[in-house]
């Protein structure tokens, strides 16, 4: 959060003549919430109209005159928050986890009755991470070999990371569509499991190291060459450009968008 | 050149029902030429009909029944070779350097009279390297900071590398189109030039290290995050998948293509 | 500062039967100072007896019963602080910059009259960074090629970093002692200075990138191989293990030690 | 093998006034053997007196006037070769695998009767790799977290690599001697084994990627920092400086040395 505002502005700029963006943040007192309060508060084209904690009713967003809801809460309450937003014509950007296919389908149904409202649900708000996964998926069909190494702080309880699982899925789909077979592997002796997990046919290795936050490398190799796409998230500031991009774009994209990819010019 | 053929085949596969590809290699005795002889000779859907050295006339390709010319010669003779190919209806894939804008314009004029002939001129035949540059150009507008580090063997006489200069140009164009300003830099004291070269406004650093061959990293950074795209070419085998892709595709792309990018599904 | 204390304790442990360590921190309100207050306060074998700001007199350390002084102030006042400490029998650990050879000589003279007092002046408190430089110096004579890449946040005003300059010096000394010549370099054409700075005969490249903090890579190469020693400091927490190591060790090392290396078992 | 000889000479130089070194290579027609023939043949202070294949008797080395034997054969015949060398007063440098503790003990017994003869058995002739492992072992006690990632070509049948297993052992010993506990790891959910192998209590990850040869990274982390020691062996040329160092040193080190470390100034 130490970068001069002028820098981030040049990267994700306000659209000219856009309607005013009045943001209510739900979950403003959590870790992500505090970063978001600073980021939205510091953006010249956004107005932070409400910082709501876990005990505040979502209706307070409406009372504060919000046009946009930023939901950074917990899976238990996020669907109700978003349903309320849609019902009242607020655009919503959602960083809360737990939005299963079933929940998203219900939400799409609701949005059909409010065709002017936009909702973005993003499992990962890091623009860099989303770009990295998309690049890996695009490149992986050109190389016989591909493996993923994800590295996180050692307080993380699950392995591999959700981002690594999603990246493996994207890569696997792209390779299958291109008719590329499995990565070559002559291993016959690996008594202790050093070759890691097989996720959708892609090897995934999870490193846990004090000092790290959230990092991922996709290694792709062919005869005589290697292509590496690496993303490092050093702190939650990494997610703020994606949050701002979402808030600035969601009103112009009615309906439900799942994944920040939808808002990046990736194809 | 040690990878089993079955691997490379899965990655760049022959198109079904394609016309036969009978390849004459010019410059077959040079370093790239020897790799190409092995690669073309080992590809099940390509037929190597002529290996021509610097003293052989290009007409020998025609005599051998070639449908495609692979030109890996020198700037002094490459234009005449390609002109001959176009005149006689041979498709051409060209890895020789020195194809200036002026030379390419002359060639385009000639191709207008032979609308069925395709020519690919590729300054870099590494699919991985071309992908890396394209990804960097696509991502760089999302980050305030971007710098390039290229690393090569210490026998190289020019710095920075042509690939780094091209990558810097692509990044600079993409950032300018998106209205992104210069990378932030508070440096006021750098008496010995440690900050490297400024190429189209992008910092480029050239490392020369025994043991390395040809490597490039593009570092992109924003608050709390970094995206790195790295390509390693360990030997000239790295260029063979691109050569094969060119030979397999050129007949279906009449006219002049400059850069392997044109044959990759990048947009 | 988020690591459980039990971890750091296992790494730099209190010595058994050591005299009590009562620490006064000078410059406690600066960036480093705040990290140090947390680190010293959280260490079970250290007692934080005084947090002194820029307006507090150094004598307050004595009044608070300190046995050790941790000086994290500015070059203008650090020599007086340390002189006071030595005069009154306090051991001192100093992270302030500006301790020239001349100043250190004066201090050594003063310490001669107080043979029981220990002082550590450390230009870099990161154990990892000091180890990295020492390893590079030890390895560099075994490789024909060596170059340094340092990477920092773009608010830094000088380039290359002081650590890179010191590392280059250590490497140059070690190579000269072993009779190793200059790194091979055939570059004849580098119009824009991409080859970076020459520091004691070693090429040094400085990258400035938003998102980074303080990072350094030493690349060493020989025919067919490369050795890379990289250190990343993500935040000032990186310096705390070195500060604690200094405080725990200084009383047992009378006289002046310059550089944390002196306290690490490196030879 | 493409580096100018003048470079490698500066790095591992002949000792002045040393006795002449007349080398017989056993296993001269294997992969390592061919590299060794070129390296020994190109070294100004070594004389290559015999290149022996698998069918040549070891006595041919004696007939050729060799003072040193370089054994690059197979585990089945290496002990007999070395026994013959010792018996006849030839110093031996051995790169063949399979020298178990039992075999080495037998050899030591034999050497006791020939106190002027030196033998070096090296499981890894890469100076860089040996340095990397030694540095990792030296540094690992200063960091709460340590993990190893080894990366090899996908034709390798065993995982993890022998070098990774040895490195893990060295690190584990050093950490135990310093009283450092296990790396922190909160993982409770890893259904597919992405956390890799546990070797002597150290996590080891094995990557297999076409294009790579033999690479290893040791990652060490503490609050706010990371230290990475990486070694890349791009081809067997990486082992030649170690072979030459062994041949130049073995006569001055009577008795049995196991591991190239013994000849490097590491402590």
């Amino acid at each position: 959060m130490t970068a001069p505002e002028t820098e981030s502005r040049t990267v994700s700029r306000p659209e000219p003549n856009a309607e005013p963006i009045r943001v209510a943040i739900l979950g403003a007192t959590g870790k992500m919430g505090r970063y978001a309060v600073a980021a939205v508060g510091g953006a010249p084209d956004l107005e932070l109209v409400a910082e709501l904690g876990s005990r505040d009713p979502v209706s307070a967003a409406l009372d504060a005159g919000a046009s946009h809801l930023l939901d950074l809460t917990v899976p238990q309450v996020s669907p109700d928050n978003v349903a309320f937003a849609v019902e009242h014509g607020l655009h919503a950007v959602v960083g809360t986890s737990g939005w299963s296919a079933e929940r998203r389908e219900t939400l799409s149904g609701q949005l059909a009755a409010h065709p002017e409202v936009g909702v973005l649900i993003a499992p990962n708000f890091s623009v860099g991470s989303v770009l990295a996964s998309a690049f890996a998926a695009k490149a992986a069909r050109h190389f016989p070999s591909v493996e993923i190494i994800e590295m996180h702080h050692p307080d993380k309880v699950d392995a591999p990371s959700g981002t690594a699982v999603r990246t493996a899925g994207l890569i696997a789909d792209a390779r299958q569509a291109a008719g590329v077979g499995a990565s070559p592997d002559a291993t016959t002796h690996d008594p202790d499991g050093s070759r890691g997990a097989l996720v959708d046919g892609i090897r995934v290795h999870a490193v846990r190291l004090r000092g790290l936050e959230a990092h991922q490398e996709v290694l792709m190799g062919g005869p005589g060459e290697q292509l590496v796409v690496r993303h490092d998230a050093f702190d939650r500031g990494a997610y703020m450009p994606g949050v701002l991009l979402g808030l600035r774009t969601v009103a112009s994209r009615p309906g439900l968008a799942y994944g920040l990819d939808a808002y990046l010019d990736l194809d």
Side-chain angles (χ1 to χ4, degrees), chain A:
Chain A
M1 305 311 305
T2 58
E5 289 156 30
T6 48
E7 282 177 38
S8 34
R9 249 184 298 158
T10 58
V11 170
S12 168
R13 294 164 308 155
E15 303 206 353
N17 306 320
E19 61 171 302
I21 303 177
R22 295 183 302 272
V23 182
I25 302 181
L26 274 68
T29 56
K31 271 194 185 177
M32 271 286 277
R34 287 197 302 266
Y35 271 89
V37 164
V40 171
D45 58 323
L46 305 183
E47 190 184 344
L48 178 57
V49 299
E51 306 176 27
L52 306 178
S54 59
R55 297 186 181 176
D56 295 308
V58 59
S59 59
L62 207 62
D63 301 342
S67 62
H68 288 63
L69 198 74
L70 175 58
D71 183 276
L72 303 170
T73 59
V74 291
Q76 291 82 348
V77 302
S78 183
D80 284 349
N81 292 341
V82 177
F84 179 91
V86 172
E87 207 64 42
H88 292 83
L90 274 65
H91 308 291
V93 170
V94 183
T96 310
S97 63
W99 277 89
S100 61
E102 196 186 338
R103 286 181 166 192
R104 301 196 312 261
E105 203 171 328
T106 304
L107 176 58
S108 288
Q110 189 190 0
L111 278 163
H114 299 270
E116 79 294 352
V117 176
V119 175
L120 167 69
I121 298 176
N124 187 339
F125 268 118
S126 159
V127 174
S129 175
V130 170
L131 288 171
S133 295
F135 293 160
K138 189 155 264 182
R141 71 185 179 90
H142 294 288
F143 295 88
S145 294
V146 57
E147 302 209 359
I148 298 173
I149 305 173
E150 58 92 330
M151 291 155 278
H152 283 80
H153 60 82
D155 303 325
K156 188 172 177 60
V157 295
D158 55 317
S161 69
T163 296
V165 171
R166 276 191 299 275
T167 306
L170 290 171
I171 289 172
D173 289 350
R175 286 167 71 94
Q176 193 174 356
V180 180
S183 297
D185 184 358
T187 309
T188 55
H189 182 76
D190 180 19
D192 299 312
S194 65
R195 293 284 290 118
L198 208 50
V199 178
D200 286 347
I202 309 293
R203 287 283 166 195
V204 178
H205 310 268
V207 172
R208 296 293 172 262
L209 205 80
R210 180 66 66 212
L212 296 183
E213 184 62 27
H215 314 253
Q216 183 170 296
E217 273 187 353
V218 180
L219 310 182
M220 291 162 279
E225 73 174 325
Q226 185 185 216
L227 177 63
V228 179
V229 178
R230 176 178 178 124
H231 182 257
D232 300 280
F234 300 117
D235 63 45
R236 284 186 172 76
Y239 308 118
M240 293 307 112
V243 166
L244 298 184
L245 175 66
L247 289 169
R248 284 168 178 149
T249 309
V250 65
S252 64
R253 307 280 181 109
L256 175 59
Y258 184 64
L260 196 59
D261 334 26
Y263 289 10
L264 295 168
D265 180 27
L266 285 178
D267 294 310

